[in-house]
Each structure stands twice: as structure tokens, then as C-alpha cells.
Amino acid sequence: MGTQLELKPVNGSFSLKEHIYDVLKTSIMNLDIYDEGTNLRMDERTLADQLGISRTPIREAIMRLEQEGFVDIQPRRGVFIRRKSLNEILEMIVVWAALESMAARMACLHATDEEIAELRRLGTKYTKDRAKAELSEYSEANIEFHLCILRLSKTRLIETIAQGLFTHLKAVRRKALRDTSRADRSVVDHMHIIEAIEARDAGLAEELVREHTMRLHAYIRRSWKFIVGEALADQSTTPQTESLQET
């Protein structure tokens, strides 16, 4: 059985179409879609029943999610949450490395001391031992650390483009951090990045962030034996349904 998706009924006091889209997208992003056992199939009728609405806004949201690369609509088979192929993941990580490393450079030039202090607070919240003991929580803190670097760049376009990539990479980063050796390295890398930004050493900060992200690239290329893009076809014949958990 796949993850059970539980959605609360909604009322009509706001934009229903936008709300349904946001609920489904957030729920997909929070699913562990790169786990081999995760059932990717979505069922319109089940989702509509859980939300207490007709299937029309569900269908409209699913079509929008397909355009953005989150789901595949397969005629006569159903709707499936889309895993990126291994090559797609690796390419996205390269682009992310370029964007975040430049964001780190810009943060050295534009962030205030108070803003950099917030980055330190985020980066030092977890020791190596605590990160390994609380991997789920550390995964979310790790994500917030990287998003903070984007904000500190004060470069809106970099942040916007990177955020678009991050919606697809969030589940990838979450899965990769299950390897406790990567969690160890992540804690150390974050401290070095913080120190470089505090010192306003733009070149070093840029280099450290790029190397940090490219280590994720090397890890996935080397160790992901489960070729993520191939599992979708296998799941498309599975009759089980899935529901998305609202957060």
C-alpha cells in the first residue's frame, strides 16, 4: 500500500481552484516520492470525496500540475505523481549549484550582519550527533538553511528561479540525507559556508556552496541504484489509489 492521503473538506470562502492546486502541490512535495515503495497513483474520485467537492476543480488542478511536471496523466490508466529521471535530477542539481553559489556571493555583498546571524542560527541548530538522531527534522532545517542563502542574496530573480527548481529537488534532498554520512558532512559544510559569509569572503563562499551541492550530485550519480524514472510505468498498472496529506 502507498502513503494514505487524507484531505480535509474545504469551504467556498476563498479561491477554490487555487486552494486545491496549492493543497495537491504541497502534498506531493511532502511525499517521499523517491522511496521505492511509495505508490504514485492518484484517484480523482477519492480526492474529491475527501475534500467534499466536485471532481472538476480536482481535474483542473491536476492539469496544471501536469504542465509543471509534477504529475503524468496517462489515458485509460490514471494520474501518477511524476518522479524525475536520474538525468533530470542530476541536471537540476547542477543548475541549483550555479544559482545558490552565486546567491552566496551576493549574500556576502548585500546581507546585513543581523541576517547573516540568522543563517548561523539555522546552521548551528544541529550538531552532527543530533542531525543523525533526528534526520527528519534535520532534513527540513537543511532545506531552510539553503533557502536562507537565497534570501540573503537580495537578488529576486535568482531566488525565484531557484525556488522553482527546489520544488522538484526537495524530495531528492530529503532522501539523500537519510544517509547519516551525508548528514555528518552537511553539518560541517554548513559551518564552513557560514564562516565564509560572515567574513564577507565572496569567492570562498561561492566555491564552498558550489562544492557542497556538487557533492550531492556525485552521491546521487554514484549510489542511487533505483533509477527513479523507470518506476512510473510499473506503478501505472497498480489499481491502488492514493490521497495527499495536507500540511
Side-chain angles (χ1 to χ4, degrees):
M1 292 290 292
T3 302
Q4 183 63 32
L5 301 166
E6 296 181 358
L7 299 172
K8 298 177 182 178
V10 299
N11 59 52
S13 61
F14 50 86
S15 172
L16 181 62
K17 182 186 298 186
E18 195 66 26
H19 175 77
I20 298 305
Y21 163 79
D22 287 340
V23 167
L24 295 184
K25 182 176 178 179
T26 299
S27 300
I28 289 170
M29 288 172 59
N30 287 332
L31 280 178
D32 194 358
I33 66 172
Y34 293 103
D35 184 274
E36 295 180 60
T38 298
N39 178 22
L40 302 177
R41 191 172 189 272
M42 297 170 61
D43 181 73
E44 290 181 10
R45 177 173 291 133
T46 300
L47 296 176
D49 288 345
Q50 287 179 302
L51 288 166
I53 59 175
S54 72
R55 294 170 65 179
T56 299
I58 296 288
R59 190 171 297 115
E60 291 174 345
I62 286 173
M63 291 176 65
R64 184 173 170 186
L65 290 167
E66 183 188 38
Q67 292 173 351
E68 295 179 357
F70 287 98
V71 303
D72 281 325
I73 301 174
Q74 300 183 15
R76 297 182 299 279
R77 289 186 171 181
V79 179
F80 297 86
I81 299 169
R82 184 174 184 267
R83 290 184 177 120
K84 298 294 186 182
S85 70
L86 188 57
N87 283 338
E88 286 175 318
I89 290 172
L90 294 175
E91 286 186 0
M92 286 192 295
I93 292 172
V94 169
V95 176
W96 175 269
L99 290 170
E100 191 185 2
S101 60
M102 180 54 71
R105 169 176 283 276
M106 301 303 289
C108 291
L109 301 176
H110 301 300
T112 66
D113 290 343
E114 291 76 15
E115 289 168 334
I116 295 173
E118 173 64 13
L119 182 68
R120 172 171 281 277
R121 187 190 69 78
L122 290 171
T124 58
K125 185 177 180 181
Y126 287 83
T127 63
K128 289 194 291 185
D129 287 342
R130 186 181 175 194
K132 288 189 290 186
E134 304 173 26
L135 276 177
S136 176
E137 291 82 358
Y138 177 66
S139 175
E140 297 306 312
N142 175 66
I143 289 169
E144 182 56 33
F145 176 83
H146 289 282
L147 294 178
C148 184
I149 292 176
L150 294 176
R151 292 193 299 271
L152 297 191
S153 75
K154 308 293 181 69
T155 309
R156 183 63 59 85
L157 189 56
I158 287 179
E159 186 175 357
T160 299
I161 296 171
Q163 284 275 19
L165 274 177
F166 208 71
T167 57
H168 292 284
L169 285 174
K170 185 176 181 180
V172 173
R173 299 188 73 101
R174 187 187 297 122
K175 178 175 173 63
L177 274 176
R178 287 183 189 160
D179 185 329
T180 56
S181 65
R182 277 198 48 77
D184 275 353
R185 184 61 198 237
S186 176
V187 170
V188 173
D189 283 356
H190 286 187
M191 181 50 61
H192 291 159
I193 291 167
I194 292 166
E195 291 170 351
I197 294 176
E198 286 177 333
R200 307 284 179 172
D201 190 334
L204 179 59
E206 180 178 12
E207 179 183 355
L208 290 175
V209 169
R210 182 170 56 250
E211 289 179 352
H212 175 66
T213 303
M214 291 308 293
R215 272 193 278 274
L216 173 64
H217 182 281
Y219 169 79
I220 289 175
R221 184 180 58 187
R222 179 181 68 251
S223 63
W224 277 31
K225 297 178 181 179
F226 177 53
I227 306 303
V228 293
E230 295 177 356
L232 188 60
D234 295 336
Q235 294 237 13
S236 67
T237 58
T238 303
Q240 298 170 344
T241 59
E242 176 119 36
S243 54
L244 300 170
Q245 189 169 27
E246 188 173 7
T247 59

